[in-house]
Amino acid sequence: MLNKLALTAIICITFGLLTPLPAQDLFGVKPTEKYAEFLISKNEYEKAADEYERLLFLDSSNSEFYKRQLVYCYYNLDNLTSIYQLGLEHYEGKESKLIFKSLLKRGYYSKAFQLTDSMKYSFSNEERKFNQGIVYLFQHDFNSAHLLLESKFKNKAIIKHVNVLMPISDELNNYQIKSPLLAAGMSAVIPSSGRLYTKDYADAAINFIFISVTALQAYRGFTNPEIGKWQGWLYGSLSTSFYLGNIFGSWKAAKRYNKKYYDEKLYEASSYIFDYY
């Protein structure tokens, strides 16, 4: 009995070893698709793009889907050129938004605005209006941005975005710019007062001291024979250069103050748009 069982076991094992097992196709379409999806979930966009590019050759019947996945990968790789090279005739809502944001990132505001009106891209009327408001915001046309963003939107997602961006738009629209001409004029009348106007208090104090001290030394040189007029000319030249430099510096300080304010507010807006829109 034992011999029969042993013989049966040997025959089964031998048969199993000789019978070829079906090979697992690790490089086929389905495994590659799953692997590409896994890479995207891990934010490995460059590797995922390589897999989807390979799938375009493996399965041409599903090329439209792979190209749309590639749009997402290329967007995260900041590769706008490759997106356009895909040759899609029409972009769905998701891809349209990604391309719009990609243009914003690169500062192509005119192209981003034109994109919202193109039939090649899918935007609802509310999305189109909201996107155009964003473009106006980045173009420093704050009044136009405010008018569009205060529209009566019904889309809950857009309303959520508007609630974040509208206060920023209001602040930019109501901001009283520092006039470079006024800052320069103030410093021309009273040295360093233009720097006080632009809230550069340390620079104002330093410039005022330099101008005052050199002007005083120049006055002493011209009025006191014991010191000598050469010191008057020397310190007078220094005082004049500090004075003129302070006028020009006040003009630049006003420009810099405005730019800093705009940059801070627009950075706040762009951070939200690129992370949550």
Side-chain angles (χ1 to χ4, degrees):
M1 183 67 177
L2 289 174
N3 290 336
K4 289 183 178 180
L5 289 174
L7 181 61
T8 303
I10 291 171
I11 292 172
C12 291
I13 292 171
T14 303
F15 180 79
L17 291 173
L18 294 175
T19 304
L21 294 174
Q24 187 176 2
D25 186 6
L26 297 176
F27 301 101
V29 172
K30 291 300 179 182
T32 304
E33 285 181 354
K34 291 181 179 180
Y35 182 52
E37 291 172 4
F38 170 77
L39 291 171
I40 287 180
S41 69
K42 297 297 181 181
N43 298 330
E44 296 281 352
Y45 300 112
E46 188 169 357
K47 292 181 179 179
D50 290 340
E51 295 303 317
Y52 281 118
E53 287 169 359
R54 194 162 68 84
L55 283 166
L56 285 173
F57 293 97
L58 291 176
D59 184 15
S60 59
S61 63
N62 208 17
S63 61
E64 190 81 4
F65 170 75
Y66 301 142
K67 287 181 179 180
R68 297 192 185 283
Q69 292 296 95
L70 279 168
V71 170
Y72 181 73
C73 293
Y74 290 148
Y75 168 77
N76 285 284
L77 293 170
D78 196 24
N79 191 344
L80 183 62
T81 302
S82 292
I83 291 178
Y84 286 132
Q85 288 177 346
L86 289 171
L88 285 167
E89 294 182 0
H90 182 78
Y91 295 94
E92 301 297 335
K94 180 181 177 181
E95 295 89 46
S96 299
K97 184 187 292 186
L98 291 176
I99 296 173
F100 172 76
K101 290 167 64 177
S102 186
L103 291 170
L104 287 182
K105 276 186 177 181
R106 291 169 175 263
Y108 299 158
Y109 303 129
S110 296
K111 290 184 178 180
F113 195 93
Q114 293 170 5
L115 179 145
T116 62
D117 282 330
S118 174
M119 297 300 294
K120 189 174 181 178
Y121 302 91
S122 298
F123 295 110
S124 67
N125 290 332
E126 290 195 355
E127 287 174 330
R128 184 173 293 105
K129 189 178 293 185
F130 177 73
N131 290 342
Q132 290 175 353
I134 293 174
V135 174
Y136 280 133
L137 193 66
F138 281 92
Q139 288 180 318
H140 290 208
D141 187 349
F142 303 126
N143 185 55
S144 296
H146 179 81
L147 291 174
L148 284 174
L149 292 177
E150 70 174 358
S151 302
K152 294 182 179 179
F153 295 106
K154 295 181 180 179
N155 185 298
K156 291 183 179 179
I158 293 180
I159 291 173
K160 178 184 176 182
H161 300 319
V162 168
N163 289 338
V164 175
L165 297 177
M166 196 65 177
I168 300 173
S169 174
D170 285 341
E171 290 180 27
L172 289 167
N173 194 42
N174 296 321
Y175 170 67
Q176 298 297 318
I177 66 169
K178 298 291 184 182
S179 169
L181 187 60
L182 177 59
M186 290 174 67
S187 285
V189 176
I190 303 175
S192 287
S193 59
R195 295 297 185 101
L196 293 175
Y197 170 64
T198 59
K199 300 182 179 181
D200 291 333
Y201 302 119
D203 284 346
I206 292 170
N207 278 276
F208 185 79
I209 291 170
F210 279 139
I211 294 169
S212 301
V213 170
T214 52
L216 178 60
Q217 290 297 98
Y219 175 77
R220 291 181 62 196
F222 286 122
T223 58
N224 191 337
E226 295 181 0
I227 296 176
K229 288 187 177 181
W230 69 270
Q231 290 193 26
W233 288 110
L234 174 62
Y235 286 109
S237 299
L238 287 173
S239 182
T240 301
S241 65
F242 286 137
Y243 171 75
L244 294 175
N246 186 52
I247 293 173
F248 180 66
S250 297
W251 181 82
K252 287 185 67 177
K255 300 272 287 186
R256 188 167 57 248
Y257 185 93
N258 294 329
K259 184 178 184 302
K260 181 181 178 183
Y261 181 84
Y262 290 142
D263 287 349
E264 287 177 353
K265 290 299 176 183
L266 291 175
Y267 177 78
E268 185 180 346
S270 64
S271 295
Y272 176 81
I273 291 166
F274 296 133
D275 288 342
Y276 300 105
Y277 178 47

